[in-house]
Structure formats: structure tokens, C-alpha cells
């Protein structure tokens, strides 16, 4: 705690190597945390405020859910290096950081699993559906495998309805990735709904999910063997399958295609509809140039980073003032 009463925590962003959307249906996924973080400070206040502006907390679904049991009115400061609506886990990182800071403010210890369950519940409150994949990656950091038997040390199991997600730690090899941001904000909920409608109305949809499952399982083996060429090919295959599900767009396809000559493979990452793509490469400068030339904003990212943690000081001078999604 700082002298003026702030409790500050941070959590990393993430990207999905393989398996997004299929993971909602209990299929496997591989996710890596990255060195772009969300930092949140909280303290008791007379009126709820975010970055100095008074707000109606009931219209902030993530914060409303996380603060409901705190018994206090809170003020928040935020700083984010994670683009909003990009598929890089900004809302999960926000939820994880806020939950951890609130536990510290209350003088409570909390496990990683508790943080995941709270962040996942906040995600559900905001978007209505999804999996605990993002929350798990942002809380644990490093890399996680979801629903892959024998993938490593099991971290936790979370169930919702008839679906279960078993989350394990994975050993993250030294790899270079470039994220390409289209600049198009694409909330997760509508894309998840689009896939749900596709799968519900078209028997072919279930076959696509099964193919994504096979690609992801093979990708886990490729990571374990440090086989970048195979992993890259599988990433490109996964992108084509996601395109069939309807969650890519011309801007994502443009950045993926521009990156392929200089990378092992590339794909959209996250919910799609905009947001970001990711390329596995040994030539990050060339990939960055290709992304810029085709209208995107590139980030070379480091993996193997720490998960949710407490910070000293408070969240000041935000790089990005995050516009937390409101209920209308």
C-alpha cells in the first residue's frame, strides 16, 4: 500500500497460439502470456471513480462484479500496454489485476485458482459466455495448455454446465512472435455468438471444431519438440479453419498473408472480427515492416513472463486510458 492508500497489481496480456473458439466447447487450446501488462490501483473512496472520473459502477460489468462483495466504495487507476478489443486479453488482465489488488486491500491471501475463478466470473458477467482460458493465462503467466492430457503440471479444473476445462502449465521454449494489430476493436461476445450460431445450425461446424482440436493437439507436441516449422504450419491451418467459422476479416487476412513470407506461420489470435494476428518468426523486423506496409501496428513480444502480481507505487500516467466496457 502507498502512503495515500493505493493497492496496485498487474497482470500480463496473452495470445492464443492454437485453439480459440473451440475451447469454449471444451476443446484444447494453447496460450502464452506476453510482456505487455495491465496495471490497476484501487483504494477506498467516497464515490466510485475510474482514472479521476466519477462513474456509475453498476454500468461497469467487470468492476461491478468484482467489487460487489468488497463492502466498500472504490476508486480505480489503470494503466495498460494491452490494446483494448485486440484479442490480447485486456479484460481478463483487468479482472485479474483488480481482483488481486482488492484481496490485498482486504488483507486476504488468495490462490491463483481463486483469482482465475473471480476473473472468469467477471468475464462472464461482462460478455455472457466464454471459457476460463484468458483468465488462466493472465493469472498464471508463462504458458498454459487447456484440456490437453499429459501436458504437464495440472494447475486447476474449472467447470461450467456440462463443460470442463483442465488447465496445465507448459514449458515455453524460446520463440519470437510478432503481434499485428488491425486497429479494429472487436468485442469477444459477438464473435463467440457467431460461432455458436454456426455450430448450432450447421453440422459442418462441429467438424471444424474437431479439426481445430486435432491441430491444437499436434501443436502441443510441436512445442514440446521445439519444432517451429511444424508449429508455424499448424498456426496457418488454424487460421484457415477460423476463417471458415466466419471470425476472420479482410484486415486480419491481409496481415496474415503479408507475414507469411517471413514467418513459419501466422493466424488471427483471440476472438477475431478485428483485433490482432500473430506470426511465429526468426525475422521479426521483416514481419513488422510487412504489417506496417499493410495497415497494421506491430509488436514484437516476449513470452515466459510472470502472471498476476502486486506492484509498488500506484498506476500513474497511463499509456492507454482503458475505456472499460459499460452497460447501456
Amino acid at each position: 500500500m502507498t502512503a495515500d492508500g493505493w493497492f496496485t497489481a498487474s497482470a500480463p496480456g496473452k495470445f492464443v497460439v492454437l485453439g480459440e473458439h473451440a475451447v469454449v466447447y471444451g476443446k484444447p487450446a494453447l496460450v502464452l502470456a506476453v510482456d505487455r501488462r495491465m496495471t490497476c490501483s484501487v483504494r477506498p473512496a467516497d464515490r466510485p471513480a475510474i482514472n479521476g472520473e466519477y462513474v456509475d459502477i453498476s454500468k461497469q460489468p467487470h468492476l461491478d462484479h468484482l467489487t460487489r462483495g468488497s463492502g466498500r466504495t472504490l476508486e480505480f487507476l489503470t494503466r495498460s500496454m494491452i490494446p483494448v478489443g485486440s484479442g490480447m486479453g485486456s479484460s481478463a488482465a483487468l479482472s485479474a489485476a483488480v481482483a488481486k489488488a482488492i484481496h490485498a486491500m482486504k488483507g486476504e491471501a488468495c490462490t491463483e485458482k481463486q483469482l482465475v475463478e473471480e476473473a472468469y466470473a467477471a468475464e462472464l458477467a461482462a460478455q455472457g459466455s466464454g471459457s476460463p482460458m484468458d483468465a488462466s493465462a493472465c493469472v498464471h503467466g508463462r504458458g498454459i495448455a487447456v484440456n490437453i492430457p499429459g501436458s504437464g503440471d495440472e494447475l486447476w479444473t474449472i467447470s461450467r454446465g456440462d463443460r470442463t476445462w483442465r488447465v496445465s502449465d507448459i514449458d515455453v521454449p524460446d520463440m519470437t512472435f510478432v503481434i499485428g494489430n488491425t486497429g479494429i476493436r472487436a468485442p469477444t461476445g459477438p464473435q463467440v455468438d457467431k460461432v455458436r450460431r454456426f455450430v448450432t445450425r450447421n453440422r459442418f461446424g462441429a467438424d471444424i471444431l474437431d479439426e481445430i482440436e486435432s491441430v491444437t493437439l499436434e501443436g502441443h507436441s510441436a512445442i514440446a519438440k521445439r519444432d517451429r516449422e511444424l508449429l508455424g504450419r499448424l498456426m496457418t491451418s488454424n487460421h484457415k479453419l477460423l476463417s471458415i467459422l466466419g471470425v476472420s476479416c479482410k484486415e486480419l487476412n491481409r496481415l496474415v498473408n503479408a507475414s507469411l513470407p517471413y514467418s513459419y506461420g501466422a493466424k488471427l489470435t483471440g476472438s477475431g472480427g478485428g483485433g490482432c494476428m500473430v506470426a511465429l518468426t526468426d525475422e521479426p523486423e521483416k514481419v513488422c515492416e510487412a504489417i506496417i506496409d499493410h495497415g497494421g501496428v506491430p509488436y514484437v513480444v516476449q513470452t515466459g513472463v510472470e502472471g498476476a502480481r502486486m506492484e509498488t507505487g500506484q498506476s500513474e500516467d497511463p499509456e492507454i486510458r482503458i475505456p472499460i466496457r459499460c452497460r447501456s
Side-chain angles (χ1 to χ4, degrees), residues 15 17-18 29-32 143-145 148 151 170-175 177 216-232 234-235 280:
F15 69 89
V17 183
L18 297 166
L30 298 167
V31 193
L32 300 181
I144 62 164
I148 298 182
S151 57
I170 57 173
D171 181 25
V172 182
D174 183 17
M175 295 182 288
F177 292 93
T216 305
L217 292 173
E218 191 173 357
H220 178 261
S221 178
I223 289 176
K225 295 175 181 176
R226 276 42 177 176
D227 189 338
R228 292 172 176 78
E229 291 187 2
L230 175 57
L231 180 60
L234 293 167
M235 289 170 63
L280 172 60

Side-chain angles (χ1 to χ4, degrees), residues 26-288:
K27 303 291 187 181
L30 298 167
V31 193
L32 300 181
V34 298
D35 59 341
R36 298 182 73 87
R37 301 185 74 87
M38 174 80 69
T39 304
C40 299
S41 302
V42 302
R43 69 177 179 182
D46 294 329
R47 295 176 62 185
I50 301 173
N51 296 330
E53 297 182 7
Y54 293 120
V55 297
D56 180 353
I57 203 69
S58 69
K59 294 183 178 180
Q60 312 289 333
H62 294 88
L63 301 184
D64 182 44
H65 182 87
L66 291 165
T67 59
R68 201 171 294 159
S70 69
R72 307 183 192 184
T73 300
L74 300 178
E75 180 179 2
F76 302 86
L77 290 177
T78 62
R79 181 176 72 249
S80 179
M81 296 178 67
I82 309 169
V84 176
S86 65
M88 292 183 66
S90 60
S91 63
L94 167 76
S95 299
V98 168
K100 191 166 184 67
I102 289 175
H103 277 290
M105 181 188 69
K106 295 165 69 175
E108 299 174 343
C110 62
T111 65
E112 282 193 341
K113 184 178 181 181
Q114 284 177 286
L115 281 182
V116 169
E117 289 174 336
E118 292 173 18
Y120 176 43
E123 292 275 273
L124 289 176
Q127 63 194 37
S129 61
S131 79
M133 175 184 70
D134 284 8
S136 294
C138 294
V139 168
H140 180 66
R142 296 180 288 280
I144 62 164
V146 182
N147 288 343
I148 298 182
S151 57
D153 294 334
E154 185 167 316
L155 298 170
W156 44 77
T157 297
I158 295 176
S159 297
R160 180 172 178 258
D162 61 350
R163 292 173 187 151
T164 296
W165 296 274
R166 293 177 175 82
V167 180
S168 301
D169 178 77
I170 57 173
D171 181 25
V172 182
D174 183 17
M175 295 182 288
T176 301
F177 292 93
V178 177
I179 303 286
N181 192 353
T182 64
I184 300 171
R185 288 186 58 189
T188 299
Q191 300 303 314
V192 173
D193 287 342
K194 181 186 291 187
V195 174
R196 178 185 53 78
R197 291 193 299 271
F198 187 100
V199 172
T200 300
R201 299 172 183 175
N202 190 332
R203 288 182 297 175
F204 182 53
D207 294 336
I208 297 299
L209 296 181
D210 288 342
E211 287 192 50
I212 292 175
E213 177 179 20
S214 296
V215 164
T216 305
L217 292 173
E218 191 173 357
H220 178 261
S221 178
I223 289 176
K225 295 175 181 176
R226 276 42 177 176
D227 189 338
R228 292 172 176 78
E229 291 187 2
L230 175 57
L231 180 60
R233 290 198 299 272
L234 293 167
M235 289 170 63
T236 304
S237 295
N238 195 175
H239 180 75
K240 293 175 181 177
L241 293 168
L242 291 167
S243 297
I244 293 171
L245 287 178
V247 294
S248 190
C249 61
K250 63 181 181 180
E251 293 83 1
L252 281 168
N253 291 338
R254 186 182 301 131
L255 297 188
V256 166
N257 292 334
S259 300
L260 286 176
Y262 314 107
S263 62
Y264 295 112
K267 60 182 285 293
L268 71 83
T269 185
S271 59
C276 292
M277 49 72 65
V278 59
L280 172 60
T281 181
D282 289 335
E283 300 181 283
E285 297 84 2
K286 290 184 178 179
V287 173
C288 288

